Amino acid sequence: MVKLIFTRHGETLWNIEGRVQGAMDSPLTEKGILQARKVGQRLRKEGITRIYSSDLPRARATADEIRKAVGIEEILLDPALRELSFGEWEGKNWWDLRQLHPELFSLWDTGPHQVQIPGAESMWEVSERAWQFVQELPRLHDGETLCVVTHGMTLQLIVKKALGIPVEQWNDVPWQHNTAVNIFEFYEDGRIYPILLADHTHLDDDIKPTSGFTSKK
C-alpha cells in the first residue's frame, strides 16, 4: 500500500486576474506562498517520504514550500502532472472568453468536458496521462507516503478516476481550491480507499474558487 496525498498549487497572479493558465504559468502571489506554507505545516505529521510535482513553476514553488516544511531534500518533477493545456484560451481572461463564446460557456458550466477548446487537450487525454503516472506509484513506493502537487483540473480528474466517477460527471466531485488536500490509500492489487477529499480547513474561511468552471452543485 502507498498513501497518496494530492494537493493543488497555491494562488497565482493569473488566478486573481481571472486568466486561463493551463500549460502557461504565472507566479504564486503572496497569499499563494502563504497557502503553500500552511499546507506544508499541515502535512508535517503525515510522514511524507517523497514529493512529486508537476514541472510547471507554480506547482514547483508550492512543492518547495511543502518540501521545506516536511524536511524532504528534493522534489521529483513529472510533466504527466501538468495542468490541462487550454490551447488558444491560455493567457486570456475567463470573463472575456465568456462574452465572446456564450454558447460554449452555456455547455462549459454544465460540464466542461462538452467543450473542445481549439488546440487544447481533451479531459480524457489529461485523465489518461495523469492516471498512468498515479498507477505506477504503488509499485514504485510500496509502504511510503507521497505528496503529489498538481493543478486544479488535473487534480479534479485524478480524484474522479480514483473514486470511479466518469469524466462526464461533475456534480459529485468537490472543487479543488488552492492547496486543497486529498488523501487516498492505493494498493498494488488495484484497491483504492479515499480518506479525505478537497479539504482546505488549513486556510482562511473566505476561500473562493479560482477557475473558469462554475459548479452547479
Side-chain angles (χ1 to χ4, degrees):
M1 186 270 286
V2 62
K3 184 163 77 172
L4 299 183
I5 302 172
F6 297 97
T7 189
R8 181 187 173 197
H9 62 79
E11 179 190 80
T12 69
L13 179 62
W14 281 11
N15 283 158
I16 62 175
E17 290 181 353
R19 294 189 180 278
V20 182
Q21 292 187 112
M24 296 179 71
D25 201 72
S26 69
L28 297 184
T29 62
E30 289 186 12
K31 180 178 178 180
I33 294 169
L34 180 59
Q35 289 173 336
R37 289 174 180 167
K38 284 184 175 181
V39 75
Q41 291 297 317
R42 174 180 179 168
L43 298 177
R44 286 182 67 178
K45 296 181 179 180
E46 292 290 343
I48 293 169
T49 52
R50 300 175 199 268
I51 299 174
Y52 279 95
S53 175
S54 158
D55 60 343
L56 293 176
R58 62 189 182 274
R60 290 166 55 185
T62 303
D64 194 53
E65 294 296 337
I66 297 171
R67 178 195 67 76
K68 289 184 283 189
V70 303
I72 298 291
E73 291 189 1
E74 66 173 339
I75 300 166
L76 304 168
L77 303 178
D78 200 298
L81 294 169
R82 284 187 175 194
E83 180 62 297
L84 179 148
S85 170
F86 282 83
E88 293 182 8
W89 285 11
E90 291 187 0
K92 297 178 180 178
N93 184 278
W94 282 106
W95 177 251
D96 292 343
L97 289 167
R98 286 181 176 274
Q99 301 307 301
L100 288 169
H101 308 291
E103 299 85 0
L104 286 181
F105 274 91
S106 67
L107 292 174
W108 179 271
D109 288 341
T110 59
H113 66 282
Q114 300 175 92
V115 177
Q116 182 56 55
I117 304 163
E121 291 179 284
S122 73
M123 305 289 175
W124 292 271
E125 288 171 330
V126 176
S127 180
E128 181 64 21
R129 68 161 157 83
W131 191 248
Q132 283 184 354
F133 169 83
V134 169
Q135 282 188 303
E136 286 296 301
L137 298 179
R139 181 182 64 83
L140 294 173
H141 304 299
D142 184 35
E144 297 189 46
T145 297
L146 313 180
C147 179
V148 179
V149 183
T150 182
H151 305 265
M153 188 63 76
T154 302
L155 180 52
Q156 195 87 339
L157 291 166
I158 289 172
V159 169
K160 280 173 177 286
K161 195 77 170 178
L163 295 174
I165 296 173
V167 169
E168 299 88 346
Q169 193 170 325
W170 291 92
N171 286 343
D172 293 336
V173 184
W175 175 244
Q176 301 289 337
H177 296 284
N178 293 113
T179 71
V181 174
N182 304 261
I183 303 178
F184 290 85
E185 291 178 350
F186 279 67
Y187 291 80
E188 200 167 352
D189 64 4
R191 288 176 296 139
I192 302 171
Y193 293 110
I195 308 299
L196 188 66
L197 295 178
D199 186 78
H200 51 81
T201 53
H202 54 284
L203 301 178
D204 298 332
D205 293 333
D206 59 342
I207 298 298
K208 296 179 181 178
T210 50
S211 167
F213 174 53
T214 302
S215 174
K216 294 299 182 182
K217 188 173 180 179

